[in-house]
Amino acid sequence: MMEKSGAYALIPEGSNIVENIIVENDIFKKKGYYTVKYYNSVFCQPGMYYNKNDSLFYDSPDFKEINGITV
């Protein structure tokens, strides 16, 4: 069975700040981290804040801007 792969935000456990973005298979695990899969339609880069309520990544912890645009 072939594993699927995709783009993931790598986030330390207990945090919502993206430490890195990686391309991995869907079963990838790293101790002390969780991963969030995202698609081309979603902007994500290291240092952004993940909002688990809407599965988006924001420039600031108040979840008001994405890539410099107020949402």
Side-chain angles (χ1 to χ4, degrees):
M1 184 170 142
M2 187 172 182
E3 298 168 356
K4 293 182 180 181
S5 63
Y8 289 86
L10 186 65
I11 304 171
E13 289 179 7
S15 175
N16 70 333
I17 301 173
V18 177
E19 184 173 293
N20 203 353
I21 52 175
I22 60 174
V23 174
E24 263 300 344
N25 64 46
D26 290 344
I27 61 170
F28 174 81
K29 301 284 185 212
K30 181 173 174 117
K31 187 174 182 174
Y33 292 85
Y34 65 99
T35 56
V36 177
K37 189 172 190 172
Y38 65 95
Y39 299 92
N40 291 340
S41 61
V42 174
F43 184 77
C44 179
Q45 65 184 13
M48 293 186 85
Y49 297 82
Y50 175 63
N51 182 347
K52 66 179 180 179
N53 294 323
D54 63 11
S55 299
L56 296 176
F57 301 90
Y58 293 83
D59 297 335
S60 60
D62 60 4
F63 307 133
K64 292 188 178 180
E65 288 185 6
I66 297 175
N67 198 19
I69 299 169
T70 302
V71 292

